[in-house]
Amino acid sequence: MTVPAQVDCLILGAGGAGYPAAFFLAQAGKSALMVDPIGNLGGDCLAEGCVPSKAVREAALVRGLADKFAHFGLRGAAPAVDWRAVMARKDRVQQTRYAQHGEEIAQGGALFVHGRGAITAPDRARIDAANGSTREVGFRHLILATGSRPARLPIPGAELAITSHELFRLGADLPQPEHLVIIGGGYIGVETASMLQALGTRATVLEYTAQLLPGFDAELATFLHASLAQRVRIELSAQVLGIERNGADFTVRYRQNGQEHTVQGDAVLMATGRVPVLPEGFAHLGLQVEHGHVVVDATLRTTNPQVWAPGDVNGRSMLFHSAVRQSLVAAHCIAAGGQAVDRMRFDAVPMTVFTEPELAHVGLTAAQAEAAFGAGAVAVTHYDYATDSRAQIYGETLGFIKLVFDLRNGLLLGAQIAGMDAAQLIAPLALALEQGLGAAALAETAFPHPMLSEGINKAARAFFSSLSA
């Protein structure tokens, strides 16, 4: 492929923050060049994140059905776990999607280079292709979609821990841990603990703060803690001090309540968040950076009007589906000559945690809403899974839907869900938040029966009827 000397838009990274913009701009008649070191679409989400981890998680859920046989009047042995076969299936899912993305590249209209880009001037970059060729390219606009990588704590022995990369990458060949010590109780840590425990691994989670899932709604975090603690050892307020190797095992030292403790396992997972990946020569762009993240406005434009930074590099909402929307916002504005024709609503991006049970949330918590609008300005309605027909059928009656409404106008401000199907249920609530809908729309829509989504309708009706009274 011939790389031109000048393009309208250079896109560094072909993950969720990169390829939607590249294809949109190409279809809009702009010359778009996309460069990615993986050589395909999907970024880390497909390479080592959401897709492969959920492939393993679904295997854990299927195996876990055996634990529920008695509820349905069934009998039989739980299936044995073949770790290598589970991981091979994960690889097949990844390879299927890579083949699909390869077709998208061929048909998308944007130029694609397997390689890396280095910034050499405010409007120029060096493209180092994987085949060894190098080319200088000028650009009118730059989309910085270089994503993020797993973070490691600055502690002795940090290099002894694996990350989500080693665990879920294509072709991962790690044996199944017998006892996995997980440093970090955020969503990556708890998801991994949940799925691997269901496949037969003992797991210990060490979380630095006093709450599992720090930053989450307290009721959601407490719900998950109570459920997960029945299967997984969880240590809160645990400051990890170091990791040491002892033969085939590892010892993790941590301080808790002023005392030092240790826990041993045959593998240690560092699940302490992710940090942005910035290209070589980044300083040439003159961008404002705060806490390691590129500062952007609601159009994803940086402090350099030529540069846009959707996705993980801005740290605003480090999720694949958020990156896709951010990518398109940036592309819409670039295609309009830099005008702010579209804006990102970060508060309307749903967050899901694929543990067993699931969690999901979008928008404001009740506490955040009261802090923003004043005490007494919001109303919270609950729908308890114990009263739901589908939850009763499945025997999954522990859970709830919580909706936060603005008392002044009835608009939805936020939602939190814990329990079965939470990741699916949050989608219509994110739509309602994005579109400025409220209790009336949710209460007057007929939701299918017998499905848990009826709970959204019933919770909205409870609030809406109180407004009408």
Side-chain angles (χ1 to χ4, degrees):
M1 177 184 296
T2 302
V3 176
Q6 182 75 26
V7 293
D8 292 323
C9 190
L10 173 64
I11 302 98
L12 297 184
Y19 75 83
F23 292 153
F24 177 87
L25 290 169
Q27 292 165 8
K30 305 291 184 181
S31 56
L33 172 62
M34 186 164 36
V35 183
D36 189 272
I38 293 174
N40 208 319
L41 310 183
D44 282 348
C45 177
L46 177 52
E48 59 191 59
C50 2
V51 172
S53 66
K54 301 316 172 288
V56 175
R57 185 252 188 177
E58 291 303 319
L61 290 184
V62 170
R63 183 182 187 274
L65 289 175
D67 297 332
K68 303 172 184 176
F69 282 174
H71 170 77
F72 292 97
L74 306 175
R75 292 183 178 85
V81 176
D82 184 338
W83 175 255
R84 292 192 180 279
V86 169
M87 299 303 279
R89 178 184 173 277
K90 169 195 74 68
D91 284 357
R92 290 196 298 275
V93 173
Q94 289 171 282
Q95 289 164 342
T96 296
R97 293 202 60 74
Y98 276 133
Q100 176 182 324
H101 285 324
E103 294 177 2
E104 290 178 289
I105 291 172
Q107 300 170 6
L111 296 173
F112 183 88
V113 172
H114 178 191
R116 295 182 183 275
I119 308 301
T120 57
D123 59 353
R124 297 194 63 77
R126 187 186 71 247
I127 309 303
D128 298 324
N131 63 11
S133 65
T134 296
R135 177 67 188 267
E136 284 273 340
V137 175
F139 55 83
R140 291 184 59 199
H141 296 279
L142 171 68
I143 292 181
L144 197 62
T146 41
S148 63
R149 58 175 173 77
R152 288 183 184 269
L153 293 179
I155 57 172
E159 73 282 356
L160 299 175
I162 61 172
T163 68
S164 55
H165 168 77
E166 288 80 20
L167 187 57
F168 295 119
R169 67 172 176 80
L170 186 65
D173 54 1
L174 293 173
Q176 181 177 2
E178 293 183 12
H179 181 192
L180 178 64
V181 181
I182 300 171
I183 302 173
Y187 75 93
I188 296 174
V190 295
E191 285 184 356
T192 305
S194 179
M195 72 178 79
L196 263 63
Q197 185 279 328
L199 292 171
T201 294
R202 288 189 297 126
T204 297
V205 176
L206 303 177
E207 167 53 39
Y208 178 74
T209 72
Q211 175 183 296
L212 203 64
L213 293 172
F216 270 58
D217 173 75
E219 190 175 1
L220 287 184
T222 300
F223 174 89
L224 181 64
H225 191 161
S227 176
L228 200 58
Q230 298 177 43
R231 304 182 284 125
V232 171
R233 177 183 170 188
I234 300 171
E235 299 291 345
L236 301 180
S237 302
Q239 180 187 4
V240 176
L241 304 174
I243 307 170
E244 299 169 357
R245 186 191 295 273
N246 295 309
D249 291 334
F250 301 90
T251 298
V252 180
R253 294 184 298 108
Y254 66 97
R255 181 178 293 114
Q256 185 183 55
N257 300 324
Q259 296 185 331
E260 189 168 317
H261 304 269
T262 61
V263 58
Q264 287 192 325
D266 59 332
V268 180
L269 175 69
M270 190 76 73
T272 49
R274 299 181 66 86
V275 294
V277 172
L278 301 176
E280 178 186 340
F282 172 78
H284 286 296
L285 300 174
L287 307 186
Q288 182 181 349
V289 175
E290 292 181 359
H291 307 295
H293 297 106
V294 178
V295 175
V296 296
D297 62 17
T299 70
L300 284 309
R301 205 170 202 168
T302 69
T303 49
N304 179 336
Q306 286 181 281
V307 182
W308 313 73
D312 285 8
V313 291
N314 66 52
R316 298 281 295 275
S317 176
M318 298 174 77
L319 302 164
F320 181 85
H321 50 281
S322 179
V324 169
R325 172 63 183 144
Q326 292 178 52
S327 184
L328 289 171
V329 169
H332 296 160
C333 295
I334 291 171
Q339 298 181 74
V341 295
D342 199 359
R343 294 179 180 274
M344 181 69 190
R345 279 200 60 180
F346 287 101
D347 65 320
V349 176
M351 171 70 183
T352 53
V353 181
F354 290 95
T355 45
E356 176 65 11
E358 294 177 355
L359 303 182
H361 68 84
V362 68
L364 301 177
T365 65
Q368 290 169 336
E370 288 190 348
F373 302 111
V378 301
V380 179
T381 60
H382 276 80
Y383 177 78
D384 197 322
Y385 275 29
T387 67
D388 185 84
S389 56
R390 180 172 172 82
Q392 291 162 356
I393 290 168
Y394 273 82
E396 297 284 351
T397 54
L398 294 178
F400 61 86
I401 297 171
K402 183 167 63 172
L403 304 183
V404 182
F405 291 104
D406 190 329
L407 272 174
R408 299 167 300 177
N409 51 28
L411 294 181
L412 182 69
L413 297 175
Q416 297 83 42
I417 307 176
M420 183 176 71
D421 294 343
Q424 291 281 7
L425 293 172
I426 203 66
L429 294 166
L431 175 64
L433 198 63
E434 173 74 37
Q435 296 299 315
L437 303 179
L442 296 173
E444 294 167 359
T445 299
F447 285 74
H449 175 78
M451 299 296 288
L452 277 161
S453 58
E454 287 179 292
I456 296 173
N457 177 259
K458 290 182 179 180
R461 277 161 39 200
F463 171 69
F464 189 59
S465 62
S466 69
L467 282 183
S468 304

